[in-house]
Amino acid sequence: MSVIPGTPDPFAQDRGGPAQPLLTVAGLFKHFPVRKAGAGKQVVRAVDGVDFEVLKGETLGIVGESGCGKSTTAKLLMGLIERDAGTLLYDGQPVGARAMPWRAYRRQAQMVFQDSYASLNPRMTVEQSVAFGPRVNGVPGRQAVERARALLARVGLEPHRFAGRYPHEISGGQRQRVNIARALALEPRLVLLDEAVSALDKSVEAQVLNLLLDLKQEFGLTYVFISHDLNVVRFISDRVMVMYLGRVAEIGPSDTVLAAPEHPYTGALLASMPSLDPDARTEVAPLAGDPPNPINPPSGCRFHPRCRLAEPVCAASEPPLDPLGPGHSVACLARQPGSGHGLAPRERIAA
Amino acid sequence: MSEDAPAIEVSGLTVTFGGRLRAVDGVDLRLERGQTVALIGESGSGKSVTLRALMRLHPERRTDVGGHVRIGGRDVMALSRRDLAAYRGREVAMIFQEPLLAFDPVYTVGRQITEAIRTHEPVSESAARARALALFERVRIPSPGRRLDAYPHELSGGMRQRAMIALALACRPKVLLADEPTTALDATVQIQILLLLRELQRELGLSIVFVTHDLGAAVEIADRIAVMYAGRIVEEGSAAQVVRTPHHPYTIGLLRSRAEGALVKGARLEAIPGGPPDLANRPSGCAFRPRCFLAEGRCADDPPVVTPAPGQRTACWHAEAAATAGHAASDAAAVA
């Protein structure tokens, strides 16, 4: 059933069956023009040819350093910025086409941002914020408020204490709960969480992660979970996608990718996480330097200037995202048969 | 500076803002020379306020600071305005979370470093610049000569943090205060900065107070860890003691709620219930008691400081029971 009155929303129902990905992204590009004195017109290649799928009922984690394009990808998935190229299929339907206009899609896909304060209207009480979405979608006022109060209760904020408060009157963890309640107000099937727990204190982060797990099960949600914290991503994600400078470096089941990474970049990211073992402190930094500038990405494999496996061939040709095992793909010449890289396997291992 | 005094000796430090809000409520801390202590805690725990008090950075008209702070044997609270200016930068220097805000945007980073050097020492412009260049090489900024003439916004985040470390070390201080210097950085850059700080500490014999909310970063850099909650240090010990044999329920809760500690992927995390207390309405006695799994009546009285092992102290009525509970949990994790 739908909260939206009138004709039932055709997109609220499952269409393609469980095997059909909820979201199929193909050839996604977004370049931002920048003007720099003396350098003329340049572009930031924020997202530079990205393909992936979000399966029904899964949590897809997206990780990478700042500037790798993970947040731009999220904004493109929501249509908050316009894509330069690429297709977006929601349950088999092209998003933005006549059959599924953005407005219909956005009832199905919602987003939670990192900055819990900036995401809420400071002049609205939290109840008004949560009720706003249903209201503009035609739910009568009283019903929208009732729904908002039920959702606030569900995310752990007792309505009689919190409903009338303004965003500045509650803590960061409570505000993020409000944002989650608001994202759920239209009964979406897909929720994009862009660093949604990163700004929270550790003890509160665990509470919000637990809440996200519960809500996912209760409402049958699918998550895209963007974070720079690999421990959190490992905990919450079924599959993980590693991005580097606007491209996918590796994607696969999180148990595989984060336990036995195939891309040297994934390995370096993992090794950069503090160990929590005083006797096994890191002695050598896994990666030197900062992430490079996405204005002029390196030739060939974009990671090659920082890669410990780099060979001349890596500067010359760009590695395709090749399947390696079941559901596991990696864009690295050292893992691709016949690539000319010294470490490349002779022939494909039967998977 | 007397030679055998500890680098930092703080006792009974209190910081009260506006006469009402007690952000630091009796902190005792001792740091030997050449050691690093990490102050860890959540937002509002008073860790940054403590750090700033060591340099007397709080506006004096609106802040009441009580207790004693001795750095290298010298009473910081008794310094005159003039001595304070000489003390800041020369004996104790600070690095901040956001170097873009800490640097002046309208001067090149090189100029800001030479200015700091010449404020404290009678050296020529060219000598100061040579020292700034050497510092940039020391903190491993690539093409240092060119970067000296860069403005802060022209550097990347990691490079800016290196430049700020160079600025902090410009007058060869003995003590470095670091206020979440790696929090805004990517993990790949964070580990580089942590390693750099460790190396500088070893070579220059620095004493470092490193404020962070990230237990992982604390373990990577610190010899000792002090856990703060609601303006007090609730547990302190060597990094290994705090991480392996925690005796305060809050420390145990922090360790257990970490996502990498989850027994089964997707299983619920053992979160600490509730949120940090409102400092204006601090609970009496142990401030953690409303969230504590061991709380009982006497927790409303100030907890005793116990010493479960040499060099470790815990402010809790139930330190032994907490440690046993913590052990049982980590054993269960090891079995699973």
Side-chain angles (χ1 to χ4, degrees), chain B residues 96-116:
Chain B
F96 297 90
Q97 177 172 350
E98 191 33 86
L100 200 54
L101 299 177
F103 273 115
D104 190 324
V106 302
Y107 297 104
T108 64
V109 287
R111 163 115 191 244
Q112 295 181 53
I113 294 176
T114 52
E115 185 194 1

Side-chain angles (χ1 to χ4, degrees), chain A residues 65-66 201-204 206-207 209-210 213-214 231-232 234-235 237-238 254-255 269 272-279 281-291 306, chain B residues 42-43 156 158-159 186-192 195 198 213 215-217 219-222 239-240 243-244 257-260 262 265-269 271-274 291:
Chain A
E65 289 166 292
S66 45
D201 277 319
K202 284 286 161 196
S203 71
V204 178
Q207 295 171 4
L209 286 173
N210 280 340
L213 286 180
D214 295 346
N231 290 321
V232 172
R234 189 199 327 248
F235 167 71
S237 304
D238 303 302
S254 56
D255 292 339
L269 270 186
S272 297
M273 301 302 291
S275 64
L276 213 61
D277 181 355
D279 295 329
R281 303 211 294 199
T282 312
E283 291 305 329
V284 181
L287 275 185
D290 292 308
R306 299 169 86 191
Chain B
E42 298 178 299
S43 34
S156 67
M159 206 122 58
D186 279 309
T188 53
V189 182
Q190 159 171 292
I191 195 75
Q192 297 170 23
L195 290 174
R198 243 158 66 185
H213 65 268
L215 208 48
V219 170
E220 282 289 349
I221 193 156
V243 173
R244 297 225 181 91
S257 63
R258 292 174 62 91
E260 60 267 48
K265 203 180 89 74
R268 292 175 60 87
L269 294 173
I272 304 174
R291 307 173 74 186

Side-chain angles (χ1 to χ4, degrees), chain B residues 138-220:
Chain B
R138 190 69 206 70
V139 299
R140 286 205 219 90
I141 290 178
S143 31
R146 200 156 54 82
R147 305 285 190 213
L148 276 179
D149 295 321
Y151 288 90
H153 74 271
E154 296 176 309
L155 302 176
S156 67
M159 206 122 58
R160 270 202 290 269
Q161 200 54 275
R162 287 173 194 268
M164 190 156 65
I165 293 170
L167 172 60
L169 298 180
C171 295
R172 307 183 182 104
K174 320 265 184 321
V175 176
L176 184 66
L177 307 178
D179 191 0
E180 307 235 19
T182 60
T183 304
L185 301 175
D186 279 309
T188 53
V189 182
Q190 159 171 292
I191 195 75
Q192 297 170 23
I193 298 290
L194 292 177
L195 290 174
L196 174 68
L197 285 173
R198 243 158 66 185
E199 183 189 312
L200 291 170
Q201 187 229 17
R202 209 166 40 231
E203 285 174 18
L204 308 176
L206 284 173
S207 311
I208 302 181
V209 185
F210 189 94
V211 162
T212 179
H213 65 268
D214 181 355
L215 208 48
V219 170
E220 282 289 349

